[in-house]
Amino acid sequence: MSWTYLHIPLRTLARDRVFAVVSIGGLALGIGASLLAFVFAWNELSYDRAFADYRSLYRISATASAPGAGLTRADPAPTDVARWLAVRLPALPVARFAEGREQPVRVGRNESMVKVSWADPLFFELFRYRAIAGDPAAALRQPDNVVLTLSLARQLFGRHAPLGETLMIEGGHQVRVAAVVTDPPVRSHLNFAIVGSSRCSGSPFYELDTQPLRPLKPWIAHTYFRLGAGIRLDQVQRTLDAFAATGRPVTGGAGLRIGLVITPIAAIHLLPEASASLEPRGSATAITGVILVGCLILLLSIVNFVNLATARSQARSIEIGIRKAAGASRPMLFVQFTIEAACYTALAALLSFAVVELSIPTFTRLAQARMSVADIYRPAVLCAALGLLLVVTVMSGGYPAWILAALRPASALRGESSYAGGIGTRRVLVAGQFAVLSALLIGVFALSAQTHFARQLARQLDTRNIFVVPRGCKKVDPRPFAALAGVVGAACSASLPLGYIEARSLGYVRPGVRTFFSDEPVDSDFFVLYGIRPIAGRLFDRAHGADAVVERAPGVRSGPVVINATAVHRFGFSSPAAAVGQIVNVLGDRGTGADSQIIGVIADLPSYSLREQADAAVFYLSPKDMDLLSIKVSGPDAASALANVERLWRQLTSGPMDRVPADRAFQGLYREVQADEAVFSACVALACVLACAGLYGLAAFIANRRRRELGVRKALGAGRRHLFLMLIWQLTKPILWAQLIVWPLCYLLLRRWLEGFTQHVELPLQAFGLSALIVLGIAWLTAGLHIGLAAIRRPVASLRYE
């Protein structure tokens, strides 16, 4: 009997190949989509969990609020937080990490651009990366020691353990390799290549640590601690609150509030966007959306399997009748059909792993996620796949097995499907399928509109044919490059027009106004290069002799400034025109009396993310604070102009020219919605395939169930057109009902999703009607041929049953 249970499914598949391809293929796609969603969610939720003691590791970050500015979040904390904790909680291990930037690193005569980071000596005691050579926990105690990753050690020295070798970092700092560790995990917010000691004179902490403790030092320290025995988390928080309170008198007290927040490192990846984050954030909304869509596609595939399996009852009714007449009981048939469903599901599950392997590279590119083929063979994923297999077997096999086993012998031998309620259930299932498809289509239209809007925002700035050289203005003067043939212009700045969030300032602006703003050093050609025009006043101009910043004393500067539209309102001016000519205190050290005059106002430039409000920005002239070189070349002469630029660069410097297109900086502006659009578009395509398969099953069921009715109607004079329209209407009704159900839900959910962006389009209402037309078109094209064949069948063929 057991061999019969296994033999019948194989024989059925060999006899009905169309059923095998449609039902098992659809089930494989559904299981594959759900597994892909599970792997994506697992990866996103497993960030920073590679450390054995990750549950006891925490990060300290900063927040600040001021009237009219809302809450500002920053991943780094004030530089002196670690020193404050070391004095008051000496048993608490604390370490700082400063985000690295690419800079020239020389080994012998070879020079490479490498991201150099800095950390306190306890950093490698908190984060225990596997040591390849040396002792990383002790390496940073000496100021001239560095720790390399394995990949960088092989790149620079050609071997994995170059202990004692020296290298030269920009600025003339010679350091020695004291340890080599494994590369940081892919799924971690910490990413470094070389880590130097915070005690080194080239470290950004070195000079700041010689100054008295205060919370208003630059917020550049990503500060971590390990919670051990004898110290409670609330005790650490109270100590941090006391440190934040020391800064209130300095900031003027009223209105400004600084806060220090403790976060488990495992939760960092899914936090809201913040300034100066080490890695791009994940999105809990994206995880929820991917899981939901994966489950919906799996449900669609299960519904298709049920539809097709029960639709085939007509073809298998004689077999069932003979088996029942020969003594097979209903439980025996139920077991047989359940085993058949289990075999089909197992085969679909095997195919689904092939689907996932083939889909992971494309999905990783579309979703901009960090996934690999090896991720699907983790024990957790395999256990989830086994549990999913059992669930799918019960859901997809239970109902068809019960229906097929319930056929009465007499009706089955006449080739009839004698169970009641099948058509109603099937219509409900198909309506649910097309409701899901309609919802996905509407979502894709809304995502496309928002992505197009984001691209239009990025195009406010003319970044065509502009490339950027990091640290370029620290090495060369931009004016010789602007004079080259084929070069339109060259300019220096501290950042691209998106804003330099690390240079954020807060404090006194003018009497009665204390708020936040970002400092943006630029030169006089910067605005012209990027096509930025004033909305009031004028911009910097070399012809104006007064356009210069005067250094009155250390930390106290004055001179003309240009502000953006957000700064106009935040600084308390009624309009851009009213702000021009006003005096503000924005270039001094928080209210030290450095007066600056506003000479112009520009529109808000695109922010780092559509979910972030534009910040108040102050632009000023300061050559010593700029390091980013932007060069614009002429489109027709781009190749020759770039060759001229690189030739001049080699003449003026000794190192390679590391240039990147300016457009790349704006990709993050619409990265999130672009990824969502790509993933949802792929899901819509998959849902269309599954919905068509389900509709094919329903069309086959209707045509077979109403075969004799159609024969009688044709014999009484009904025309083919009348029969075709009647059957098409039977399929159209559940689809129309699905639209009425899904439209209100989509409207509410998409409105809420769009409101999460500070700048967004209005929900395109035409998407609802367009999705309905597309769904109906898909339904009519899928079922039209099948129903058309049933409508033109000769009456005698429909009425004959022996």
Side-chain angles (χ1 to χ4, degrees):
M1 179 64 73
S2 59
W3 166 247
T4 302
Y5 285 153
L6 296 176
H7 176 69
I8 291 177
L10 299 177
R11 186 176 61 189
T12 302
L13 289 179
R15 184 175 62 246
D16 195 346
R17 295 182 179 87
V18 175
F19 167 77
V21 171
V22 175
S23 62
I24 297 179
L27 201 56
L29 289 176
I31 296 175
S34 59
L35 281 178
L36 201 59
F38 178 81
V39 172
F40 172 77
W42 180 270
N43 283 354
E44 290 294 292
L45 295 173
S46 63
Y47 262 69
D48 292 305
R49 299 184 183 224
F51 305 103
D53 55 349
Y54 74 89
R55 290 184 177 85
S56 61
L57 291 174
Y58 296 84
R59 189 196 65 190
I60 302 170
S61 54
T63 65
S65 61
L71 183 68
T72 295
R73 298 182 180 89
D75 275 5
T79 307
D80 287 340
V81 166
R83 294 170 60 192
W84 179 274
L85 290 175
V87 172
R88 283 152 183 81
L89 297 173
L92 185 73
V94 184
R96 299 168 300 177
F97 179 86
E99 181 181 10
R101 60 175 177 81
E102 287 196 348
Q103 53 185 290
V105 173
R106 179 172 296 179
V107 177
R109 295 183 178 180
N110 298 323
E111 187 174 89
S112 304
M113 296 298 294
V114 181
K115 179 185 286 188
V116 180
S117 305
W118 306 91
D120 288 336
L122 290 180
F123 178 77
F124 287 104
E125 292 186 16
L126 295 181
F127 296 94
R128 298 188 177 107
Y129 296 93
R130 185 169 66 87
I132 302 298
D135 182 6
L140 300 185
R141 294 173 187 169
Q142 299 298 321
D144 60 343
N145 282 353
V146 294
V147 177
L148 305 184
T149 60
L150 177 61
S151 60
L152 183 63
R154 289 173 174 170
Q155 174 188 334
L156 296 180
F157 299 99
R159 59 186 190 275
H160 70 276
L163 298 182
E165 295 285 354
T166 61
L167 46 87
M168 188 72 68
I169 299 177
E170 182 184 34
H173 302 286
Q174 181 172 308
V175 293
R176 183 178 65 89
V177 179
V180 177
V181 297
T182 55
D183 292 358
V186 173
R187 286 178 287 276
S188 174
H189 77 286
L190 286 169
N191 183 21
F192 57 85
I194 176 172
V195 180
S197 173
S198 61
R199 298 174 179 176
C200 176
S201 58
S203 164
F205 299 126
Y206 181 76
E207 184 178 350
L208 294 171
D209 287 346
T210 63
Q211 303 171 7
L213 285 170
R214 60 189 182 95
L216 291 182
K217 287 183 182 178
W219 294 5
I220 60 171
H222 296 263
T223 307
Y224 304 89
F225 68 89
R226 179 190 294 120
L227 198 64
I231 300 179
R232 301 187 310 276
L233 199 61
D234 60 341
Q235 184 180 359
V236 179
Q237 185 64 66
R238 287 196 301 271
T239 307
L240 294 175
D241 292 342
F243 177 72
T246 63
R248 289 173 187 164
V250 180
T251 61
L256 287 175
R257 289 293 182 268
I258 299 172
L260 297 172
V261 181
I262 298 174
T263 306
I265 64 164
I268 291 174
H269 183 61
L270 297 181
L271 288 176
E273 291 288 344
S275 298
S277 57
L278 294 174
E279 284 288 316
R281 290 280 202 266
S283 171
T285 303
I287 295 174
T288 304
V290 168
I291 292 177
L292 180 60
V293 171
C295 292
L296 288 176
I297 291 177
L298 177 62
L299 186 59
L300 288 179
S301 65
I302 292 174
V303 169
N304 284 340
F305 188 89
V306 171
N307 276 340
L308 293 171
T310 53
R312 291 178 64 253
S313 63
Q314 184 79 21
R316 302 192 65 180
S317 58
I318 295 178
E319 172 197 344
I320 296 168
I322 293 175
R323 290 176 63 84
K324 280 201 166 187
S329 63
R330 185 173 181 177
M332 291 173 61
L333 291 174
F334 179 81
V335 171
Q336 173 194 327
F337 293 125
T338 302
I339 292 177
E340 283 188 30
C343 292
Y344 300 152
T345 305
L347 181 57
L350 292 176
L351 291 175
S352 70
F353 275 87
V355 170
V356 174
E357 282 198 23
L358 294 173
S359 302
I360 274 185
T362 303
F363 181 85
T364 301
R365 186 179 68 256
L366 294 178
Q368 301 183 18
R370 295 180 177 180
M371 297 170 58
S372 64
V373 174
D375 291 333
I376 66 175
Y377 296 106
R378 294 180 185 176
V381 177
L382 295 177
C383 290
L386 180 60
L388 186 62
L389 180 64
L390 296 176
V391 171
V392 172
T393 299
V394 172
M395 294 180 66
S396 64
Y399 179 72
W402 181 262
I403 292 299
L404 294 174
L407 293 177
R408 294 192 296 270
S411 300
L413 291 172
R414 288 197 300 270
E416 298 176 353
S417 297
S418 58
Y419 60 91
I423 187 64
T425 303
R426 194 166 286 101
R427 282 175 179 166
V428 171
L429 294 177
V430 170
Q433 283 183 309
F434 280 92
V436 172
L437 178 57
S438 298
L440 290 175
L441 279 170
I442 295 170
V444 166
F445 289 139
L447 281 167
S448 298
Q450 182 67 5
T451 304
H452 177 73
F453 173 73
R455 288 174 176 150
Q456 292 300 112
L457 283 179
R459 293 192 183 106
Q460 292 179 24
L461 296 168
D462 184 10
T463 58
R464 294 170 299 175
N465 300 318
I466 296 180
F467 63 90
V468 177
V469 183
R471 308 289 295 170
C473 289
K474 293 293 186 183
K475 300 179 179 180
V476 298
D477 187 336
R479 286 174 290 185
F481 291 91
L484 292 174
V487 175
V488 177
C492 288
S493 62
S495 71
L496 288 176
L498 285 171
Y500 189 51
I501 50 179
E502 286 83 355
R504 190 171 179 81
S505 300
L506 66 161
Y508 175 85
V509 175
R510 63 194 189 95
V513 178
R514 297 180 177 86
T515 188
F516 299 99
F517 51 90
S518 62
D519 299 328
E520 299 286 345
V522 298
D523 70 11
S524 56
D525 298 323
F526 178 78
F527 294 119
V528 176
L529 187 73
Y530 281 94
I532 301 171
R533 298 182 179 181
I535 58 177
R538 66 174 180 86
L539 301 178
F540 300 120
D541 189 345
R542 293 185 186 275
H544 284 263
D547 283 4
V549 173
V550 178
E551 187 84 15
R552 295 182 175 180
V556 182
R557 294 165 294 180
S558 65
V561 296
V562 174
I563 64 175
N564 65 353
T566 296
V568 170
H569 300 292
R570 195 174 293 178
F571 291 177
F573 302 114
S574 59
S575 67
V580 176
Q582 298 294 324
I583 302 299
V584 290
N585 184 333
V586 290
L587 301 182
D589 190 8
R590 283 46 166 184
T592 54
D595 293 335
S596 300
Q597 184 182 45
I598 300 174
I599 63 171
V601 179
I602 63 172
D604 289 336
L605 301 178
S607 181
Y608 277 88
S609 167
L610 290 179
R611 298 187 184 276
E612 297 294 317
Q613 287 280 2
D615 193 17
V618 175
F619 300 88
Y620 63 98
L621 297 171
S622 181
K624 69 175 185 179
D625 294 328
M626 299 181 295
D627 61 0
L628 200 65
L629 173 64
S630 297
I631 301 177
K632 184 172 184 176
V633 297
S634 173
D637 303 325
S640 60
L642 289 176
N644 293 335
V645 167
E646 292 189 350
R647 190 179 302 111
L648 179 59
W649 178 271
R650 287 193 296 270
Q651 294 174 2
L652 298 177
T653 67
S654 58
M657 185 178 189
D658 183 23
R659 54 182 173 86
V660 294
D663 289 337
R664 189 177 301 173
F666 294 89
Q667 293 175 356
L669 183 66
Y670 47 86
R671 177 181 63 87
E672 180 182 344
V673 289
Q674 190 174 30
D676 291 344
E677 180 191 18
V679 171
F680 269 80
S681 298
C683 291
V684 166
L686 184 56
C688 284
V689 173
L690 295 175
C692 290
L695 194 61
Y696 170 84
L698 180 60
F701 178 82
I702 291 176
N704 288 330
R705 183 179 179 87
R706 305 184 69 173
R707 180 186 51 167
R708 293 191 184 125
E709 175 194 345
L710 296 176
V712 172
R713 287 179 178 272
K714 290 197 72 173
L716 294 177
R720 296 176 181 177
R721 180 172 176 273
H722 171 77
L723 296 178
F724 181 82
L725 292 178
M726 179 188 68
L727 294 177
I728 281 290
W729 176 243
Q730 295 296 323
L731 293 174
T732 302
K733 283 193 294 185
I735 296 174
L736 293 178
W737 279 110
Q739 305 307 307
L740 295 178
I741 294 172
V742 78
W743 282 5
L745 294 176
C746 284
Y747 181 81
L748 294 175
L749 291 176
L750 289 175
R751 279 291 299 271
R752 183 174 181 182
W753 174 73
L754 287 172
E755 288 171 356
F757 298 96
T758 57
Q759 301 180 75
H760 61 82
V761 296
E762 292 298 322
L763 183 61
L765 298 180
Q766 63 271 23
F768 293 85
L770 187 58
S771 68
L773 292 177
I774 292 175
V775 166
L776 286 173
I778 292 172
W780 292 340
L781 289 174
T782 303
L785 180 61
H786 201 92
I787 291 177
L789 292 175
I792 66 174
R793 186 181 292 123
R794 293 190 306 160
V796 65
S798 300
L799 295 173
R800 183 189 298 121
Y801 60 87
E802 291 183 356

